[in-house]
């Protein structure tokens, strides 16, 4: 009887299951290792710091954002061209030699985003930042021309008006130390609403500030997911407080973008085209008996490549934002959301859901990056008083003591300010890492290395931009790094704050023009001070590069801005 009982236990379904489990796991593991043989073989030839068995460098990328950043920089320091790291089973290769960066970014093959971007999905859907294949291609073709220079020139009045608004708001901080990032965030959201989205910020009942704060917190959550093995798992994530908070934040974020589309659609159906905020400005100027004043001077330069304006990339690099004016049809000279709605109306080019995804993408990419860039710029001006003297002297030379708004021509003359802006983006690139997942092997130029398909390749812009072989004193803030003769002697891909090639930033020209007007308006009105130095910055290589301690500066007024700018604008400009 005893024997029979034993036999029955051995033959029960659960015992068969346990008996087969181990060999199945072993077979699966062998299959998995064999299917990755190519990856392991090529990875073994790549240099990189030594990691732990099985987990590799997993523990280095867990923990607070600022320490992860420091650890990765420290561990990769002695590797001249590339550094490989295993994050558990995932092969990540950091590249920072301009020749290798060119191979990756200029290619039409290596355009798929790394799997880390999938955490953006509930927020950005299949928007331009993360989509791939035919969808990305056709939407990129549609969207890129909406950031053409001729469209951007029509935003200059709104860039000015919003910049003067910031100056007025900053009065509340006179003489106090405060975090300028809050102001930059709110301003960049409002500018986007009025320009690319073409709605009036006055019609939004919630301020851009709430949206900006929600975006910032969402980035914290996404970054926490990148740094935690548990939060990466969809199921475990849904059990955490982060998931609940994400839901609440997405309500705020999507709430704003849904409202933007709704109000723009309503205006569109009534035949209104162009920015509603622009029409309001014009109406206010007409009411005051003068024409609004930043019309382009008659001799203004046409076309998209303007001598003297680099638009944030090395001279000589070109992308689809650099197509000449005559290549752009009349219809395509519409601002972003106008074109989206028109395209949806005229055919099946883009659906309502897709419009929503693109609006969310542009709102995110367009504001957080420029808020970080402008905050770093102000921090650096505060630290380098001698450099700020030169920027102010240049602005005084252009504007004298006039309060007139900046014209496009003025922005061309802000050559030193532009160099300071580029140097800011070199030392503190708002997008510190650009990651792609390889579908094909990538043979590098810096050495006899091949990065295997299946690996994640990360352009560490922050390391690339501080390559001592390219920049003599890479850790010194020196705007002369962007003197034309120094630029001419440098590899094009040694400076890519906006990425480059087919997946470069579509907002590059928009960002540079807006930042020049915003920052020049602030420095025409205030002098910036800081009690810190760059060595005190606690860099947080989040999705967007930030300072953990905030961007603390102090302002002293240089001159007063009076009245509503639309009226001041008109009078000032007509009398100048
Ligand atoms: C200082 C400001 C900015 C910086 C440094 C910056 C940087 C970048 C970088 C590095 C990328 C490539 C990201 C990647 O491949 O992972 C990118 C992509 C993108 N950026 Fe920007 N950006 C800025 C401003 C803007 C603005 C103002 C907009 C829109 C108004 C914008 C819209 C986009 C979009 C839609 C993409 C995705 C393009 C694609 O994949 O085809 N960005 N940006």
């Amino acid at each position: 009887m005893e024997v029979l009982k034993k036999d029955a236990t051995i033959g029960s379904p659960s015992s068969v299951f346990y008996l087969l489990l181990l060999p199945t796991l072993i077979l699966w593991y062998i299959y998995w290792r064999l299917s990755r043989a190519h990856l392991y073989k090529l990875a073994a030839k790549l240099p990189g710091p030594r990691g732990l068995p099985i987990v590799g460098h997993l523990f280095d990328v867990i923990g607070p954002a600022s320490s992860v950043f420091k650890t990765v920089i420290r561990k990769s320091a002695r590797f001249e061209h590339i550094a490989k790291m295993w994050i558990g089973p995932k092969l990540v290769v950091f590249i920072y030699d301009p020749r290798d960066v060119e191979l990756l970014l200029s290619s039409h093959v290596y355009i798929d985003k790394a799997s880390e971007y999938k955490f953006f999905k509930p927020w950005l859907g299949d928007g331009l930042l993360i989509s791939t294949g035919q969808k990305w291609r056709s939407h990129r073709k549609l969207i890129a021309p909406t950031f053409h220079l001729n469209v951007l020139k029509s935003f200059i009045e709104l860039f000015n008006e919003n910049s003067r608004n910031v100056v007025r708001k900053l009065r509340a901080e006179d003489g106090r130390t405060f975090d300028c990032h809050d102001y930059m965030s709110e301003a960049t959201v409002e500018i986007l609403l009025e320009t690319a989205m073409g709605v009036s910020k006055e019609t939004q009942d919630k301020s851009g500030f709430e949206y900006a704060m929600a975006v910032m917190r969402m980035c914290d959550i996404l970054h926490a997911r990148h740094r935690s093995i548990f939060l990466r798992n969809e199921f475990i994530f849904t059990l955490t407080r982060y998931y609940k908070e994400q839901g609440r934040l997405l309500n705020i974020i999507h709430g704003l973008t849904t409202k933007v589309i709704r109000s723009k659609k309503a205006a569109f159906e009534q035949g209104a085209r162009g920015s509603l905020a622009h029409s309001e400005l014009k109406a206010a100027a007409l009411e005051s008996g003068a024409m609004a004043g930043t019309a382009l001077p008659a001799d203004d330069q046409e076309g998209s490549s303007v001598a003297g304006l680099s638009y944030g990339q090395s001279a000589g690099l070109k992308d689809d934002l650099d197509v000449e004016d005559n290549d752009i049809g009349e219809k395509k000279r519409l601002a972003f959301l106008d074109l989206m709605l028109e395209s949806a109306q005229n055919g099946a080019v883009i659906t309502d859901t897709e419009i929503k995804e693109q609006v969310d993408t542009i709102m995110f990419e367009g504001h957080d990056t420029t808020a970080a860039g402008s905050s770093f710029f102000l921090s650096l001006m505060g630290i380098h008083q001698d450099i700020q003297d030169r920027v102010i002297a240049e602005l005084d030379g252009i504007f004298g003591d006039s309060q007139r708004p900046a014209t496009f021509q003025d922005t061309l003359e802000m050559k030193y300010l532009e160099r300071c802006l580029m140097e800011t983006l070199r030392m503190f690139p708002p997008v510190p890492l650009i990651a792609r997942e390889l579908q094909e092997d990538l043979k590098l130029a810096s050495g006899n290395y091949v990065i295997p398909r299946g690996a994640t390749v990360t352009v560490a812009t922050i390391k690339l931009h501080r390559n001592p072989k390219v920049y003599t004193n890479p850790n010194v803030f020196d705007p002369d790094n962007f003197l034309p003769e120094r630029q001419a002697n440098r590899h094009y891909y040694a400076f890519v704050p906006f990425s480059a090639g087919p997946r470069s930033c579509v907002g590059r020209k928009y960002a540079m023009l807006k930042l020049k007007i915003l920052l020049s308006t602030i420095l025409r009105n205030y002098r910036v001070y800081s009690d810190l130095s760059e060595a005190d910055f606690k860099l947080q290589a989040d999705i967007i590069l930030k300072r953990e301690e905030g961007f603390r500066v102090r302002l002293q007024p240089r001159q007063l801005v009076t009245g509503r700018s639309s009226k001041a604008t008109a009078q000032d400009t007509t009398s100048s």
Side-chain angles (χ1 to χ4, degrees), residues 113 117 128-129 136 140 147 192 361-362 365-366 369-370 430-431 434 436 497-499 503-507 510-511:
K113 294 299 176 85
Y117 289 76
L128 206 54
L129 182 69
W136 167 74
R140 168 98 193 183
F147 292 98
L192 265 177
T361 300
I362 297 291
E365 274 289 310
T369 45
T370 41
V431 180
I434 300 168
R436 302 276 163 85
F498 294 97
S499 187
R503 279 213 95 144
S504 66
C505 171
V506 286
Y510 174 102

Side-chain angles (χ1 to χ4, degrees), residues 204 206 211 249-262 356 360:
Q204 305 303 312
K206 278 192 188 138
Y211 170 88
L249 295 169
L250 286 181
N251 272 342
I252 298 174
I253 292 171
H254 289 157
L256 181 100
T257 47
T258 307
K259 223 181 304 159
V260 163
I261 297 172
R262 205 181 301 136
K356 167 99 178 37
D360 277 312

Side-chain angles (χ1 to χ4, degrees), residues 100-396:
D100 295 338
V101 173
E102 173 171 15
L103 283 174
L104 182 81
L105 295 185
S106 67
S107 155
H108 285 263
V109 175
Y110 309 113
I111 56 166
D112 291 324
K113 294 299 176 85
S115 61
E116 273 67 24
Y117 289 76
K118 72 175 182 241
F119 300 129
F120 277 104
K121 271 247 156 147
W123 174 9
L124 306 181
D126 239 349
L128 206 54
L129 182 69
I130 46 182
S131 60
T132 194
Q134 191 45 39
K135 180 166 182 172
W136 167 74
R137 241 177 288 277
S138 64
H139 286 179
R140 168 98 193 183
K141 211 165 158 200
L142 191 67
I143 291 171
T146 70
F147 292 98
H148 187 271
L149 199 55
N150 275 330
V151 178
L152 303 186
K153 284 175 182 171
S154 72
F155 294 157
I156 286 187
E157 204 168 352
L158 292 166
F159 288 158
N160 272 296
E161 163 67 6
N162 279 282
S163 304
R164 296 165 75 98
N165 240 335
V166 179
V167 165
R168 275 188 289 273
K169 284 183 188 167
L170 286 171
R171 279 192 202 143
E173 306 287 357
D174 275 3
R176 278 208 301 249
T177 301
F178 70 103
D179 187 346
C180 64
H181 187 266
D182 291 350
Y183 286 90
M184 296 300 105
S185 265
E186 182 174 26
T188 51
V189 170
E190 292 185 342
I191 295 174
L192 265 177
L193 287 175
E194 293 202 342
T195 54
M197 302 304 154
V199 297
S200 161
K201 66 174 176 290
E202 313 294 336
T203 61
Q204 305 303 312
D205 50 16
K206 278 192 188 138
S207 84
F209 187 70
E210 191 186 11
Y211 170 88
M213 294 304 115
V215 165
M216 225 137 71
R217 188 61 203 130
M218 260 308 281
C219 286
D220 287 344
I221 295 178
L222 296 189
H223 202 58
R225 295 194 71 183
H226 290 151
R227 287 182 282 112
S228 159
I229 330 167
F230 301 110
L231 293 177
R232 279 172 170 265
N233 180 286
E234 249 357 280
F235 177 70
I236 298 178
F237 176 64
T238 57
L239 304 176
T240 64
R241 66 179 168 85
Y242 287 113
Y243 178 70
K244 257 198 175 152
E245 193 184 357
Q246 173 170 300
R248 186 182 62 77
L249 295 169
L250 286 181
N251 272 342
I252 298 174
I253 292 171
H254 289 157
L256 181 100
T257 47
T258 307
K259 223 181 304 159
V260 163
I261 297 172
R262 205 181 301 136
S263 90
K264 185 73 186 165
K265 256 189 178 168
F268 205 80
E269 273 154 22
Q270 287 170 9
R273 298 291 185 271
S275 177
L276 303 176
H278 207 213
S279 322
E280 279 172 16
L281 262 189
K282 282 227 153 74
L286 283 172
E287 210 175 283
S288 77
M291 285 303 291
T294 48
L296 297 170
D299 63 345
D300 201 18
Q301 304 176 49
E302 283 298 326
S304 62
S305 35
V306 179
L309 196 62
S310 69
Y311 297 111
Q313 68 179 7
S314 309
L317 269 187
K318 293 251 183 275
D319 59 22
D320 52 355
L321 298 177
D322 294 314
V323 286
E324 285 309 318
D325 190 45
N326 18 7
D327 300 336
I328 302 276
E330 193 61 39
K331 179 187 153 218
K332 286 191 170 173
R333 286 200 213 153
L334 295 172
F336 167 74
L337 193 48
D338 274 78
L339 184 82
M340 295 295 104
L341 295 178
E342 185 132 324
S343 305
Q345 208 172 48
N346 291 348
V349 188
I350 191 159
T351 65
D352 277 2
T353 313
E354 288 169 342
I355 292 180
K356 167 99 178 37
E357 293 171 345
Q358 302 301 2
V359 169
D360 277 312
T361 300
I362 297 291
M363 283 303 294
F364 161 57
E365 274 289 310
H367 107 266
D368 216 10
T369 45
T370 41
S374 50
S375 304
F376 273 115
F377 176 94
L378 291 175
S379 307
L380 290 162
M381 289 298 111
I383 294 169
H384 300 280
Q385 291 295 319
D386 52 333
I387 292 176
Q388 188 178 175
D389 282 343
R390 282 185 67 183
V391 177
I392 287 176
E394 179 180 78
L395 293 175
D396 288 350

Side-chain angles (χ1 to χ4, degrees), residues 395-447:
L395 293 175
D396 288 350
I398 298 171
F399 297 99
D401 56 6
S402 165
Q403 281 294 327
R404 71 175 176 81
T407 62
F408 180 69
Q409 188 57 37
D410 293 328
T411 65
L412 297 182
E413 284 163 34
M414 296 176 194
K415 293 201 187 323
Y416 191 66
L417 184 144
E418 180 178 296
R419 295 218 294 273
C420 293
L421 191 49
M422 306 262 276
E423 180 66 351
T424 304
L425 298 178
R426 177 186 75 81
M427 286 190 74
F428 302 102
V431 180
L433 302 170
I434 300 168
R436 302 276 163 85
E437 198 151 281
L438 296 191
Q439 311 297 339
E440 307 274 342
D441 294 352
L442 169 64
K443 165 125 188 48
L444 298 183
S446 62

